[in-house]
Amino acid sequence: MKKLALILIIMTLVVSSAVLIVNHQTDQGLLKNSNRNYMNSTVSTKPSKDLTKGTTKEAPKVNIKEKKQVRPKKVKKDIVVTIDPGHQEKANLGQEPVAPKSKMTKFKATVGSRGAITKKSEYAITLDASKMLQKKLQKKGYKVFLTRYTNEVDLSNIERAKIANKRQSSLFIRIHADGAENPNVHGFSIIAPGKDNPYTKKVFRESKIAAQTIVKQVEKDFVLYQNGLIYRSDLAGFNWSKVPVILVELGYISNPQEDRNLSNSHYLDKLSTSISDGVSEYLDKTK
Ligand SMILES: [Zn+2]
């Protein structure tokens, strides 16, 4: 009888220590793939329950809760924004169709307008502005790429759109500065794909919301050109885009004051802040 009692005690000890080991391992596994701060507050209360209820039921519960907690930050980081600084230093006067299968063609890439007073080229202004906007959006937690990082590139408008598509961008932002014969014409505007354009049918709605949201934000501190919104169907950079796309016209560099403003880093900083606020507002409500 004494022997039997001893065996029973030993068996009980072996079984309970095995349960303890299993629980310990499960907790360690959870710690690895989770946010430490969060783990400290939540999992510390769980092990006692696990000991009584068994490990398999409790562990997934904790995991689901953690994912919910860290999700917003993670998703935001996965959102890709591609910015295209319009034009380039050397024009490529080869032709490309404005839309797939279209017989209408346009130059592959031009140098753009030139500042009335500063004589600064549009391609240089758009690159400065794009880099500034990139920084602002990166600070907000987005993955932001430019289609070009220098002025010495050869990229057609179709190729630029394809870059944005390849990166599965949540938004493709093309940056330009306007020019007009009348030097009095001025103001900020955004061009979005036209409503009845078959090539941008899938991205029309989202592009429009993006344009409207950003214009609303910029309007608070800056002057708009007319109502700030223009729709066009004849742009290759739109018609090859499979992701929501807009073209930002920062202002008219044919207007002396706006030309000076767009070469002023304080002005550009303020303007890119407004644009980035509009972009994040749009992405927050749609993503
Ligand atoms: Zn342009």
Side-chain angles (χ1 to χ4, degrees), residues 83-119:
I83 303 171
D84 174 42
H87 308 282
Q88 59 197 36
E89 193 176 22
K90 273 185 193 156
N92 180 339
L93 301 181
Q95 297 280 316
E96 65 182 6
V98 297
K101 294 175 193 168
S102 172
K103 276 179 187 155
M104 188 182 165
T105 62
K106 276 188 183 178
F107 292 133
K108 285 187 171 179
T110 58
V111 297
S113 310
R114 203 157 171 242
I117 304 295
T118 63
K119 306 295 174 199

PDB file of all heavy atoms in Angstrom, residues 83-119:
ATOM      1  N   ILE A  83       4.531  59.576 -55.571  1.00  0.00           N
ATOM      2  CA  ILE A  83       4.498  60.969 -56.031  1.00  0.00           C
ATOM      3  C   ILE A  83       5.328  61.078 -57.310  1.00  0.00           C
ATOM      4  O   ILE A  83       6.460  60.595 -57.364  1.00  0.00           O
ATOM      5  CB  ILE A  83       5.081  61.918 -54.961  1.00  0.00           C
ATOM      6  CG1 ILE A  83       4.325  61.780 -53.625  1.00  0.00           C
ATOM      7  CG2 ILE A  83       5.028  63.374 -55.445  1.00  0.00           C
ATOM      8  CD1 ILE A  83       4.978  62.537 -52.467  1.00  0.00           C
ATOM      9  N   ASP A  84       4.747  61.717 -58.306  1.00  0.00           N
ATOM     10  CA  ASP A  84       5.481  61.920 -59.563  1.00  0.00           C
ATOM     11  C   ASP A  84       5.830  63.396 -59.748  1.00  0.00           C
ATOM     12  O   ASP A  84       4.940  64.210 -60.025  1.00  0.00           O
ATOM     13  CB  ASP A  84       4.627  61.445 -60.757  1.00  0.00           C
ATOM     14  CG  ASP A  84       5.289  61.776 -62.084  1.00  0.00           C
ATOM     15  OD1 ASP A  84       6.519  61.594 -62.189  1.00  0.00           O
ATOM     16  OD2 ASP A  84       4.591  62.223 -63.016  1.00  0.00           O
ATOM     17  N   PRO A  85       7.098  63.752 -59.583  1.00  0.00           N
ATOM     18  CA  PRO A  85       7.495  65.129 -59.875  1.00  0.00           C
ATOM     19  C   PRO A  85       7.446  65.333 -61.398  1.00  0.00           C
ATOM     20  O   PRO A  85       8.240  64.733 -62.134  1.00  0.00           O
ATOM     21  CB  PRO A  85       8.941  65.208 -59.360  1.00  0.00           C
ATOM     22  CG  PRO A  85       9.162  63.925 -58.566  1.00  0.00           C
ATOM     23  CD  PRO A  85       8.255  62.916 -59.165  1.00  0.00           C
ATOM     24  N   GLY A  86       6.511  66.133 -61.844  1.00  0.00           N
ATOM     25  CA  GLY A  86       6.274  66.290 -63.282  1.00  0.00           C
ATOM     26  C   GLY A  86       7.482  66.767 -64.075  1.00  0.00           C
ATOM     27  O   GLY A  86       8.312  67.511 -63.586  1.00  0.00           O
ATOM     28  N   HIS A  87       7.575  66.273 -65.307  1.00  0.00           N
ATOM     29  CA  HIS A  87       8.613  66.697 -66.271  1.00  0.00           C
ATOM     30  C   HIS A  87      10.021  66.224 -65.902  1.00  0.00           C
ATOM     31  O   HIS A  87      10.203  65.501 -64.925  1.00  0.00           O
ATOM     32  CB  HIS A  87       8.569  68.217 -66.473  1.00  0.00           C
ATOM     33  CG  HIS A  87       7.202  68.717 -66.816  1.00  0.00           C
ATOM     34  ND1 HIS A  87       6.671  68.601 -68.069  1.00  0.00           N
ATOM     35  CD2 HIS A  87       6.238  69.301 -66.039  1.00  0.00           C
ATOM     36  CE1 HIS A  87       5.442  69.119 -68.066  1.00  0.00           C
ATOM     37  NE2 HIS A  87       5.155  69.535 -66.845  1.00  0.00           N
ATOM     38  N   GLN A  88      10.981  66.667 -66.717  1.00  0.00           N
ATOM     39  CA  GLN A  88      12.391  66.292 -66.523  1.00  0.00           C
ATOM     40  C   GLN A  88      13.285  67.290 -67.246  1.00  0.00           C
ATOM     41  O   GLN A  88      12.808  68.086 -68.062  1.00  0.00           O
ATOM     42  CB  GLN A  88      12.622  64.854 -67.029  1.00  0.00           C
ATOM     43  CG  GLN A  88      12.276  64.675 -68.510  1.00  0.00           C
ATOM     44  CD  GLN A  88      12.112  63.216 -68.909  1.00  0.00           C
ATOM     45  OE1 GLN A  88      11.619  62.398 -68.141  1.00  0.00           O
ATOM     46  NE2 GLN A  88      12.540  62.904 -70.132  1.00  0.00           N
ATOM     47  N   GLU A  89      14.589  67.232 -66.923  1.00  0.00           N
ATOM     48  CA  GLU A  89      15.533  68.239 -67.442  1.00  0.00           C
ATOM     49  C   GLU A  89      15.641  68.228 -68.981  1.00  0.00           C
ATOM     50  O   GLU A  89      15.716  69.259 -69.618  1.00  0.00           O
ATOM     51  CB  GLU A  89      16.909  68.000 -66.825  1.00  0.00           C
ATOM     52  CG  GLU A  89      17.864  69.144 -67.038  1.00  0.00           C
ATOM     53  CD  GLU A  89      19.194  68.937 -66.328  1.00  0.00           C
ATOM     54  OE1 GLU A  89      19.542  67.775 -66.038  1.00  0.00           O
ATOM     55  OE2 GLU A  89      19.878  69.931 -66.079  1.00  0.00           O
ATOM     56  N   LYS A  90      15.687  67.007 -69.545  1.00  0.00           N
ATOM     57  CA  LYS A  90      15.764  66.904 -71.009  1.00  0.00           C
ATOM     58  C   LYS A  90      14.478  66.293 -71.537  1.00  0.00           C
ATOM     59  O   LYS A  90      14.087  65.201 -71.115  1.00  0.00           O
ATOM     60  CB  LYS A  90      16.957  66.023 -71.403  1.00  0.00           C
ATOM     61  CG  LYS A  90      18.242  66.822 -71.520  1.00  0.00           C
ATOM     62  CD  LYS A  90      19.368  65.949 -72.028  1.00  0.00           C
ATOM     63  CE  LYS A  90      20.698  66.661 -71.828  1.00  0.00           C
ATOM     64  NZ  LYS A  90      21.829  65.746 -71.757  1.00  0.00           N
ATOM     65  N   ALA A  91      13.857  67.002 -72.476  1.00  0.00           N
ATOM     66  CA  ALA A  91      12.592  66.503 -73.018  1.00  0.00           C
ATOM     67  C   ALA A  91      12.824  65.232 -73.844  1.00  0.00           C
ATOM     68  O   ALA A  91      13.888  65.046 -74.434  1.00  0.00           O
ATOM     69  CB  ALA A  91      11.964  67.573 -73.900  1.00  0.00           C
ATOM     70  N   ASN A  92      11.821  64.371 -73.851  1.00  0.00           N
ATOM     71  CA  ASN A  92      11.810  63.230 -74.770  1.00  0.00           C
ATOM     72  C   ASN A  92      10.638  63.461 -75.709  1.00  0.00           C
ATOM     73  O   ASN A  92       9.476  63.306 -75.318  1.00  0.00           O
ATOM     74  CB  ASN A  92      11.640  61.916 -73.994  1.00  0.00           C
ATOM     75  CG  ASN A  92      11.633  60.704 -74.917  1.00  0.00           C
ATOM     76  OD1 ASN A  92      11.376  60.822 -76.120  1.00  0.00           O
ATOM     77  ND2 ASN A  92      11.907  59.538 -74.357  1.00  0.00           N
ATOM     78  N   LEU A  93      10.945  63.892 -76.921  1.00  0.00           N
ATOM     79  CA  LEU A  93       9.880  64.284 -77.844  1.00  0.00           C
ATOM     80  C   LEU A  93       9.323  63.114 -78.664  1.00  0.00           C
ATOM     81  O   LEU A  93       8.601  63.314 -79.648  1.00  0.00           O
ATOM     82  CB  LEU A  93      10.345  65.426 -78.744  1.00  0.00           C
ATOM     83  CG  LEU A  93      10.773  66.695 -77.965  1.00  0.00           C
ATOM     84  CD1 LEU A  93      11.204  67.806 -78.919  1.00  0.00           C
ATOM     85  CD2 LEU A  93       9.667  67.201 -77.039  1.00  0.00           C
ATOM     86  N   GLY A  94       9.641  61.914 -78.227  1.00  0.00           N
ATOM     87  CA  GLY A  94       8.993  60.741 -78.809  1.00  0.00           C
ATOM     88  C   GLY A  94       7.508  60.801 -78.470  1.00  0.00           C
ATOM     89  O   GLY A  94       7.118  61.499 -77.537  1.00  0.00           O
ATOM     90  N   GLN A  95       6.686  60.078 -79.238  1.00  0.00           N
ATOM     91  CA  GLN A  95       5.241  60.137 -79.005  1.00  0.00           C
ATOM     92  C   GLN A  95       4.756  58.883 -78.274  1.00  0.00           C
ATOM     93  O   GLN A  95       5.304  57.800 -78.452  1.00  0.00           O
ATOM     94  CB  GLN A  95       4.509  60.252 -80.344  1.00  0.00           C
ATOM     95  CG  GLN A  95       4.834  61.521 -81.129  1.00  0.00           C
ATOM     96  CD  GLN A  95       4.062  62.735 -80.616  1.00  0.00           C
ATOM     97  OE1 GLN A  95       2.871  62.639 -80.340  1.00  0.00           O
ATOM     98  NE2 GLN A  95       4.741  63.864 -80.503  1.00  0.00           N
ATOM     99  N   GLU A  96       3.723  59.074 -77.479  1.00  0.00           N
ATOM    100  CA  GLU A  96       3.051  57.923 -76.852  1.00  0.00           C
ATOM    101  C   GLU A  96       1.549  58.190 -76.849  1.00  0.00           C
ATOM    102  O   GLU A  96       1.123  59.344 -76.760  1.00  0.00           O
ATOM    103  CB  GLU A  96       3.587  57.648 -75.438  1.00  0.00           C
ATOM    104  CG  GLU A  96       3.323  58.744 -74.427  1.00  0.00           C
ATOM    105  CD  GLU A  96       3.918  58.459 -73.051  1.00  0.00           C
ATOM    106  OE1 GLU A  96       4.643  57.464 -72.875  1.00  0.00           O
ATOM    107  OE2 GLU A  96       3.636  59.238 -72.141  1.00  0.00           O
ATOM    108  N   PRO A  97       0.745  57.140 -76.972  1.00  0.00           N
ATOM    109  CA  PRO A  97      -0.713  57.345 -77.007  1.00  0.00           C
ATOM    110  C   PRO A  97      -1.226  57.847 -75.654  1.00  0.00           C
ATOM    111  O   PRO A  97      -0.701  57.457 -74.612  1.00  0.00           O
ATOM    112  CB  PRO A  97      -1.272  55.956 -77.312  1.00  0.00           C
ATOM    113  CG  PRO A  97      -0.170  54.999 -77.027  1.00  0.00           C
ATOM    114  CD  PRO A  97       1.112  55.727 -77.145  1.00  0.00           C
ATOM    115  N   VAL A  98      -2.246  58.714 -75.698  1.00  0.00           N
ATOM    116  CA  VAL A  98      -2.784  59.272 -74.456  1.00  0.00           C
ATOM    117  C   VAL A  98      -3.615  58.251 -73.668  1.00  0.00           C
ATOM    118  O   VAL A  98      -3.886  58.433 -72.489  1.00  0.00           O
ATOM    119  CB  VAL A  98      -3.631  60.545 -74.685  1.00  0.00           C
ATOM    120  CG1 VAL A  98      -2.781  61.656 -75.280  1.00  0.00           C
ATOM    121  CG2 VAL A  98      -4.829  60.254 -75.564  1.00  0.00           C
ATOM    122  N   ALA A  99      -4.008  57.182 -74.370  1.00  0.00           N
ATOM    123  CA  ALA A  99      -4.752  56.118 -73.690  1.00  0.00           C
ATOM    124  C   ALA A  99      -4.472  54.801 -74.412  1.00  0.00           C
ATOM    125  O   ALA A  99      -4.113  54.817 -75.594  1.00  0.00           O
ATOM    126  CB  ALA A  99      -6.244  56.420 -73.716  1.00  0.00           C
ATOM    127  N   PRO A 100      -4.630  53.664 -73.733  1.00  0.00           N
ATOM    128  CA  PRO A 100      -4.420  52.388 -74.416  1.00  0.00           C
ATOM    129  C   PRO A 100      -5.308  52.321 -75.672  1.00  0.00           C
ATOM    130  O   PRO A 100      -6.483  52.651 -75.609  1.00  0.00           O
ATOM    131  CB  PRO A 100      -4.859  51.347 -73.367  1.00  0.00           C
ATOM    132  CG  PRO A 100      -4.719  52.045 -72.055  1.00  0.00           C
ATOM    133  CD  PRO A 100      -5.017  53.476 -72.327  1.00  0.00           C
ATOM    134  N   LYS A 101      -4.732  51.917 -76.769  1.00  0.00           N
ATOM    135  CA  LYS A 101      -5.430  51.790 -78.060  1.00  0.00           C
ATOM    136  C   LYS A 101      -5.831  53.126 -78.698  1.00  0.00           C
ATOM    137  O   LYS A 101      -6.463  53.162 -79.755  1.00  0.00           O
ATOM    138  CB  LYS A 101      -6.686  50.902 -77.929  1.00  0.00           C
ATOM    139  CG  LYS A 101      -6.369  49.461 -77.596  1.00  0.00           C
ATOM    140  CD  LYS A 101      -7.647  48.689 -77.351  1.00  0.00           C
ATOM    141  CE  LYS A 101      -7.354  47.352 -76.704  1.00  0.00           C
ATOM    142  NZ  LYS A 101      -8.567  46.703 -76.211  1.00  0.00           N
ATOM    143  N   SER A 102      -5.481  54.236 -78.079  1.00  0.00           N
ATOM    144  CA  SER A 102      -5.853  55.538 -78.636  1.00  0.00           C
ATOM    145  C   SER A 102      -4.914  55.925 -79.779  1.00  0.00           C
ATOM    146  O   SER A 102      -3.726  55.614 -79.756  1.00  0.00           O
ATOM    147  CB  SER A 102      -5.799  56.609 -77.556  1.00  0.00           C
ATOM    148  OG  SER A 102      -5.976  57.885 -78.130  1.00  0.00           O
ATOM    149  N   LYS A 103      -5.486  56.634 -80.777  1.00  0.00           N
ATOM    150  CA  LYS A 103      -4.651  57.088 -81.888  1.00  0.00           C
ATOM    151  C   LYS A 103      -4.079  58.469 -81.601  1.00  0.00           C
ATOM    152  O   LYS A 103      -3.190  58.956 -82.287  1.00  0.00           O
ATOM    153  CB  LYS A 103      -5.486  57.108 -83.178  1.00  0.00           C
ATOM    154  CG  LYS A 103      -5.514  55.729 -83.805  1.00  0.00           C
ATOM    155  CD  LYS A 103      -6.340  55.708 -85.073  1.00  0.00           C
ATOM    156  CE  LYS A 103      -6.482  54.265 -85.557  1.00  0.00           C
ATOM    157  NZ  LYS A 103      -7.682  54.077 -86.378  1.00  0.00           N
ATOM    158  N   MET A 104      -4.621  59.123 -80.602  1.00  0.00           N
ATOM    159  CA  MET A 104      -4.129  60.442 -80.209  1.00  0.00           C
ATOM    160  C   MET A 104      -2.840  60.267 -79.402  1.00  0.00           C
ATOM    161  O   MET A 104      -2.797  59.456 -78.467  1.00  0.00           O
ATOM    162  CB  MET A 104      -5.193  61.126 -79.345  1.00  0.00           C
ATOM    163  CG  MET A 104      -4.893  62.563 -79.018  1.00  0.00           C
ATOM    164  SD  MET A 104      -6.220  63.182 -77.949  1.00  0.00           S
ATOM    165  CE  MET A 104      -5.460  64.647 -77.331  1.00  0.00           C
ATOM    166  N   THR A 105      -1.792  60.991 -79.813  1.00  0.00           N
ATOM    167  CA  THR A 105      -0.518  60.848 -79.096  1.00  0.00           C
ATOM    168  C   THR A 105      -0.031  62.195 -78.562  1.00  0.00           C
ATOM    169  O   THR A 105      -0.486  63.255 -79.000  1.00  0.00           O
ATOM    170  CB  THR A 105       0.572  60.259 -80.021  1.00  0.00           C
ATOM    171  OG1 THR A 105       0.782  61.165 -81.121  1.00  0.00           O
ATOM    172  CG2 THR A 105       0.190  58.890 -80.558  1.00  0.00           C
ATOM    173  N   LYS A 106       0.895  62.098 -77.608  1.00  0.00           N
ATOM    174  CA  LYS A 106       1.515  63.302 -77.037  1.00  0.00           C
ATOM    175  C   LYS A 106       2.988  63.021 -76.800  1.00  0.00           C
ATOM    176  O   LYS A 106       3.426  61.860 -76.781  1.00  0.00           O
ATOM    177  CB  LYS A 106       0.852  63.627 -75.684  1.00  0.00           C
ATOM    178  CG  LYS A 106      -0.429  64.417 -75.815  1.00  0.00           C
ATOM    179  CD  LYS A 106      -0.893  64.860 -74.443  1.00  0.00           C
ATOM    180  CE  LYS A 106      -2.219  65.585 -74.520  1.00  0.00           C
ATOM    181  NZ  LYS A 106      -2.702  65.964 -73.192  1.00  0.00           N
ATOM    182  N   PHE A 107       3.772  64.095 -76.546  1.00  0.00           N
ATOM    183  CA  PHE A 107       5.188  63.904 -76.232  1.00  0.00           C
ATOM    184  C   PHE A 107       5.336  63.017 -74.998  1.00  0.00           C
ATOM    185  O   PHE A 107       4.533  63.088 -74.067  1.00  0.00           O
ATOM    186  CB  PHE A 107       5.858  65.250 -75.935  1.00  0.00           C
ATOM    187  CG  PHE A 107       5.971  66.140 -77.138  1.00  0.00           C
ATOM    188  CD1 PHE A 107       5.606  67.488 -77.071  1.00  0.00           C
ATOM    189  CD2 PHE A 107       6.466  65.642 -78.341  1.00  0.00           C
ATOM    190  CE1 PHE A 107       5.716  68.321 -78.178  1.00  0.00           C
ATOM    191  CE2 PHE A 107       6.585  66.474 -79.458  1.00  0.00           C
ATOM    192  CZ  PHE A 107       6.200  67.808 -79.375  1.00  0.00           C
ATOM    193  N   LYS A 108       6.385  62.195 -74.991  1.00  0.00           N
ATOM    194  CA  LYS A 108       6.623  61.301 -73.848  1.00  0.00           C
ATOM    195  C   LYS A 108       6.938  62.083 -72.577  1.00  0.00           C
ATOM    196  O   LYS A 108       6.456  61.763 -71.503  1.00  0.00           O
ATOM    197  CB  LYS A 108       7.764  60.339 -74.170  1.00  0.00           C
ATOM    198  CG  LYS A 108       7.347  59.239 -75.129  1.00  0.00           C
ATOM    199  CD  LYS A 108       8.446  58.220 -75.297  1.00  0.00           C
ATOM    200  CE  LYS A 108       7.932  57.017 -76.077  1.00  0.00           C
ATOM    201  NZ  LYS A 108       8.980  56.020 -76.292  1.00  0.00           N
ATOM    202  N   ALA A 109       7.784  63.096 -72.702  1.00  0.00           N
ATOM    203  CA  ALA A 109       8.117  63.919 -71.532  1.00  0.00           C
ATOM    204  C   ALA A 109       8.656  65.260 -71.993  1.00  0.00           C
ATOM    205  O   ALA A 109       9.462  65.332 -72.920  1.00  0.00           O
ATOM    206  CB  ALA A 109       9.149  63.219 -70.661  1.00  0.00           C
ATOM    207  N   THR A 110       8.194  66.336 -71.326  1.00  0.00           N
ATOM    208  CA  THR A 110       8.667  67.683 -71.678  1.00  0.00           C
ATOM    209  C   THR A 110       9.312  68.320 -70.442  1.00  0.00           C
ATOM    210  O   THR A 110       9.280  67.744 -69.356  1.00  0.00           O
ATOM    211  CB  THR A 110       7.494  68.556 -72.170  1.00  0.00           C
ATOM    212  OG1 THR A 110       6.505  68.596 -71.131  1.00  0.00           O
ATOM    213  CG2 THR A 110       6.866  67.995 -73.431  1.00  0.00           C
ATOM    214  N   VAL A 111       9.873  69.507 -70.642  1.00  0.00           N
ATOM    215  CA  VAL A 111      10.516  70.177 -69.501  1.00  0.00           C
ATOM    216  C   VAL A 111       9.513  71.006 -68.697  1.00  0.00           C
ATOM    217  O   VAL A 111       9.787  71.408 -67.578  1.00  0.00           O
ATOM    218  CB  VAL A 111      11.700  71.081 -69.947  1.00  0.00           C
ATOM    219  CG1 VAL A 111      12.794  70.257 -70.575  1.00  0.00           C
ATOM    220  CG2 VAL A 111      11.229  72.168 -70.909  1.00  0.00           C
ATOM    221  N   GLY A 112       8.351  71.279 -69.286  1.00  0.00           N
ATOM    222  CA  GLY A 112       7.312  72.027 -68.583  1.00  0.00           C
ATOM    223  C   GLY A 112       7.473  73.532 -68.720  1.00  0.00           C
ATOM    224  O   GLY A 112       8.186  74.013 -69.604  1.00  0.00           O
ATOM    225  N   SER A 113       6.802  74.263 -67.828  1.00  0.00           N
ATOM    226  CA  SER A 113       6.827  75.730 -67.876  1.00  0.00           C
ATOM    227  C   SER A 113       8.106  76.281 -67.235  1.00  0.00           C
ATOM    228  O   SER A 113       8.935  75.513 -66.715  1.00  0.00           O
ATOM    229  CB  SER A 113       5.614  76.300 -67.143  1.00  0.00           C
ATOM    230  OG  SER A 113       4.436  75.685 -67.586  1.00  0.00           O
ATOM    231  N   ARG A 114       8.177  77.647 -67.236  1.00  0.00           N
ATOM    232  CA  ARG A 114       9.344  78.291 -66.649  1.00  0.00           C
ATOM    233  C   ARG A 114       8.879  79.509 -65.868  1.00  0.00           C
ATOM    234  O   ARG A 114       7.987  80.246 -66.315  1.00  0.00           O
ATOM    235  CB  ARG A 114      10.302  78.697 -67.775  1.00  0.00           C
ATOM    236  CG  ARG A 114      11.722  78.848 -67.320  1.00  0.00           C
ATOM    237  CD  ARG A 114      12.669  78.686 -68.507  1.00  0.00           C
ATOM    238  NE  ARG A 114      14.017  79.049 -68.091  1.00  0.00           N
ATOM    239  CZ  ARG A 114      14.709  80.047 -68.614  1.00  0.00           C
ATOM    240  NH1 ARG A 114      14.181  80.789 -69.572  1.00  0.00           N
ATOM    241  NH2 ARG A 114      15.922  80.315 -68.189  1.00  0.00           N
ATOM    242  N   GLY A 115       9.450  79.713 -64.687  1.00  0.00           N
ATOM    243  CA  GLY A 115       9.035  80.823 -63.829  1.00  0.00           C
ATOM    244  C   GLY A 115       9.204  82.180 -64.495  1.00  0.00           C
ATOM    245  O   GLY A 115      10.268  82.477 -65.035  1.00  0.00           O
ATOM    246  N   ALA A 116       8.149  83.021 -64.447  1.00  0.00           N
ATOM    247  CA  ALA A 116       8.165  84.336 -65.096  1.00  0.00           C
ATOM    248  C   ALA A 116       9.278  85.218 -64.536  1.00  0.00           C
ATOM    249  O   ALA A 116       9.944  85.930 -65.288  1.00  0.00           O
ATOM    250  CB  ALA A 116       6.810  85.015 -64.904  1.00  0.00           C
ATOM    251  N   ILE A 117       9.491  85.177 -63.239  1.00  0.00           N
ATOM    252  CA  ILE A 117      10.488  86.030 -62.586  1.00  0.00           C
ATOM    253  C   ILE A 117      11.761  85.251 -62.247  1.00  0.00           C
ATOM    254  O   ILE A 117      12.868  85.659 -62.569  1.00  0.00           O
ATOM    255  CB  ILE A 117       9.892  86.645 -61.283  1.00  0.00           C
ATOM    256  CG1 ILE A 117       8.596  87.406 -61.587  1.00  0.00           C
ATOM    257  CG2 ILE A 117      10.923  87.520 -60.570  1.00  0.00           C
ATOM    258  CD1 ILE A 117       8.737  88.639 -62.459  1.00  0.00           C
ATOM    259  N   THR A 118      11.578  84.104 -61.608  1.00  0.00           N
ATOM    260  CA  THR A 118      12.733  83.330 -61.125  1.00  0.00           C
ATOM    261  C   THR A 118      13.449  82.592 -62.257  1.00  0.00           C
ATOM    262  O   THR A 118      14.598  82.216 -62.124  1.00  0.00           O
ATOM    263  CB  THR A 118      12.293  82.271 -60.095  1.00  0.00           C
ATOM    264  OG1 THR A 118      11.422  81.343 -60.757  1.00  0.00           O
ATOM    265  CG2 THR A 118      11.579  82.897 -58.908  1.00  0.00           C
ATOM    266  N   LYS A 119      12.748  82.343 -63.319  1.00  0.00           N
ATOM    267  CA  LYS A 119      13.225  81.546 -64.469  1.00  0.00           C
ATOM    268  C   LYS A 119      13.498  80.094 -64.076  1.00  0.00           C
ATOM    269  O   LYS A 119      14.144  79.339 -64.804  1.00  0.00           O
ATOM    270  CB  LYS A 119      14.488  82.150 -65.112  1.00  0.00           C
ATOM    271  CG  LYS A 119      14.362  83.601 -65.510  1.00  0.00           C
ATOM    272  CD  LYS A 119      13.329  83.796 -66.620  1.00  0.00           C
ATOM    273  CE  LYS A 119      13.107  85.277 -66.919  1.00  0.00           C
ATOM    274  NZ  LYS A 119      11.859  85.542 -67.629  1.00  0.00           N
TER     275      LYS A 119
END
